């Protein structure tokens, strides 16, 4: 379900389009639980602490947007039913890792979870996929392609 | 403003704590505009398309959480007043780049903005800061440190 970014309110921007789908606390926590292997509504509700009606609405949006898919129950043992990640859902991993790392640094008194890469502690670092160099903020520039928009905002000219 | 993660609803998690601060569409779009160099409320409102009352509430939360700081007006030319990033705000860059990249891939019909690193197109890649290797999802494991919680959820044992 892709959106024409020029129909968004404000600046045409893929970040804004992404946030229309996942720009909600309960949506991303639901994705977290499915990533952790919890596929049932009741597990997701308990582990996120989300109000059930809001969680149900967010899961519906995530399925419609193609981030999650819902597999029907009915097989013996119900194995494989519930909510599962699509390719688009799996590709949210960098977003989740970046938010978790930021939260560890700035939002909690002490990290309640530890990430490991193979046999050592994991901290993500962003590099440029083209040249492989570590990214410093000042080295990345952005350019608006949408007509009439500049980095500063809408141009009346 | 750091939070004891065991007081969160659901799983104690830095991602959840992060989302209490920035888990909102208008909050992250406001941070985007400040990153782009737009510091005034009126600029942020126009370029995000956010309803002004909700935007004002989000900006207040971001200032209280230490993501933005508000500098007073009054200097000649008003230079430097308005909303500015703190260190915590600047460190949201990896989150913003990850969301923008995901949006380009999955949420828009055509990317309306282009990122460049020095003189070439920029796509972020995540590597492990310890060993430098590119990260594949299966190589990163997570371990709950909070008492009574496992990756599956709350343990009654």
């Amino acid at each position: 379900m892709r959106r024409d970014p020029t129909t968004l309110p404000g600046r045409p921007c893929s970040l804004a389009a992404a946030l229309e789908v996942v720009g909600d606390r309960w949506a991303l926590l639901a994705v977290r639980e499915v990533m952790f292997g919890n596929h049932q509504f009741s597990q997701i509700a308990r582990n996120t602490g989300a109000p059930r009606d809001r969680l149900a609405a967010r899961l519906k949006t995530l399925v419609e947007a193609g981030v999650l898919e819902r597999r029907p129950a009915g097989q013996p043992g119900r194995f494989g039913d519930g909510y599962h990640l699509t390719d688009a859902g799996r590709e949210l991993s960098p977003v989740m890792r970046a938010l978790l790392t930021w939260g560890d640094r700035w939002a909690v008194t002490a990290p309640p979870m530890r990430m490991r890469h193979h046999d050592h502690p994991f901290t993500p670092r962003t590099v440029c996929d083209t040249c492989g160099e570590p990214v410093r903020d000042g080295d990345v520039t952005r350019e608006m392609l949408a007509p009439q928009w500049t980095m500063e905002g809408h141009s009346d000219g």
Side-chain angles (χ1 to χ4, degrees), chain A:
Chain A
M1 204 175 67
R2 294 172 197 275
R3 170 132 189 197
D4 175 353
T6 62
T7 64
L8 288 163
R11 183 193 296 281
C13 173
S14 296
L15 176 63
L19 292 172
E20 286 216 319
V21 180
V22 297
D24 175 85
R25 172 184 175 189
W26 304 122
L28 282 173
L29 293 182
V31 170
R32 176 194 73 188
E33 287 304 315
V34 178
M35 284 184 172
F36 286 178
N38 296 313
H39 304 290
Q40 306 302 321
F41 182 87
S42 58
Q43 295 175 311
I44 298 169
R46 190 187 54 210
N47 294 348
T48 58
R52 294 175 75 89
D53 55 338
R54 291 186 61 187
L55 180 61
R58 293 304 169 276
L59 286 168
K60 187 164 178 286
T61 304
L62 290 168
V63 168
E64 286 168 357
V67 171
L68 297 179
E69 59 182 357
R70 192 173 182 182
R71 298 187 192 157
Q75 292 89 345
R78 293 165 44 99
F79 180 79
D81 70 343
Y83 295 93
H84 289 261
L85 298 169
T86 62
D87 287 342
R90 270 183 289 277
E91 285 194 19
L92 283 170
S93 290
V95 174
M96 308 298 269
R97 284 192 295 254
L99 277 165
L100 184 60
T101 302
W102 188 86
D104 275 349
R105 292 253 310 155
W106 297 103
V108 295
T109 48
M113 196 184 299
R114 185 160 49 194
M115 287 195 286
R116 293 182 72 77
H117 180 243
H118 300 302
D119 59 352
H120 48 267
F122 175 69
T123 306
R125 173 156 52 95
T126 307
V127 303
C128 170
D129 194 42
T130 307
C131 71
E133 267 183 35
V135 170
R136 288 172 306 179
D137 281 350
D139 296 341
V140 176
T141 53
R142 301 164 194 84
E143 179 190 4
M144 291 298 297
L145 305 174
Q148 292 200 311
W149 279 82
T150 67
M151 288 315 292
E152 288 69 42
H154 195 271
S155 155
D156 296 322

